[in-house]
Amino acid sequence: EAQVTQNPRYLITVTGKKLTVTCSQNMNHEYMSWYRQDPGLGLRQIYYSMNVEVTDKGDVPEGYKVSRKEKRNFPLILESPSPNQTSLYFCASSLLVNPLGSYEQYFGPGTRLTVT
Amino acid sequence: EDKVVQSPLSLVVHEGDTVTLNCSYEVTNFRSLLWYKQEKKAPTFLFMLTSSGIEKKSGRLSSILDKKELFSILNITATQTGDSAVYLCAVALNSGNTPLVFGKGTRLSVIA
């Protein structure tokens, strides 16, 4: 089954304790992206990657790191989490350009992070 | 700055009503417009629109794009309680980075 998986699904942590949220897709997609979703602000892009070893900042990259060492994985790293990073996080992937010229992103199930 | 604006932000209707959700955009290098439905989990894809005036239809849902006036609408006829969700509009840009710009969503509540 084609899917994007994220782990963990829920995480409560304390300020300053490094954490990693994993994201993996099995569709051989080039493009992967992380979003955070907050009430009243919608989905905002944190980082994205157009292929292995190619990453770039989205709209709200501060406090986050990513890596893309393999095509299927795109972990999100919070080196020193702070309470303002409490949010719902989504990983997504897509083909960069598919044969139909469309651009549909597949979303993971989400990770609800609480930083106290 | 690229932006996508959805309206209304929130909507409550009775079962059987027809609703129209709006999405307007101001972006450089428009590629396509996408609609997603988000319940208590990840967004799921509904429609992708690239051409003006061509209606996309899936059951009771339909959507159309106007590239001249820079907006799209999502129609839901004969609404059901299962249609209650946040509906997200996003615009894909035809730039080298190809990110998606999302609107803030419209929260639809359908009551029996």
Side-chain angles (χ1 to χ4, degrees), chain A residues 31 35 37 40-43 45 48 50 56 88 90 96-98 101-110, chain B residues 31-32 34 36 38 40-45 48 50 86 88 92-93 96-100 102-105:
Chain A
Y31 187 88
Y35 297 90
Q37 187 174 38
L41 297 176
L43 276 163
Q45 191 173 45
Y48 61 93
M50 295 173 67
D56 212 339
L88 178 60
F90 288 103
L96 206 54
V97 176
N98 76 27
S102 64
Y103 187 97
E104 175 190 342
Q105 281 201 345
Y106 295 83
F107 284 83
Chain B
R31 178 188 180 98
S32 60
L34 301 98
Y36 288 86
Q38 185 179 22
K40 292 180 182 176
K41 47 185 192 259
T44 54
F45 175 79
M48 191 274 296
T50 53
V86 174
L88 296 167
L93 305 181
N97 297 335
T98 60
L100 281 180
F102 279 89
K104 293 182 181 178

Side-chain angles (χ1 to χ4, degrees), chain A residues 23-88:
Chain A
C23 173
S24 183
Q25 49 93 6
N26 62 0
M27 295 169 279
N28 204 34
H29 285 167
E30 296 95 352
Y31 187 88
M32 296 186 75
S33 180
W34 276 103
Y35 297 90
R36 60 178 289 174
Q37 187 174 38
D38 303 287
L41 297 176
L43 276 163
R44 294 179 294 168
Q45 191 173 45
I46 303 171
Y47 269 95
Y48 61 93
S49 168
M50 295 173 67
N51 216 323
V52 176
E53 302 291 1
V54 180
T55 64
D56 212 339
K57 296 178 181 178
D59 296 320
V60 287
E62 295 78 20
Y64 303 94
K65 286 172 58 177
V66 292
S67 70
R68 188 89 183 273
K69 294 186 171 58
E70 308 162 277
K71 199 172 188 179
R72 62 182 293 127
N73 296 322
F74 190 45
L76 179 70
I77 303 154
L78 285 72
E79 295 272 4
S80 183
S82 62
N84 66 11
Q85 292 178 299
T86 292
S87 187
L88 178 60

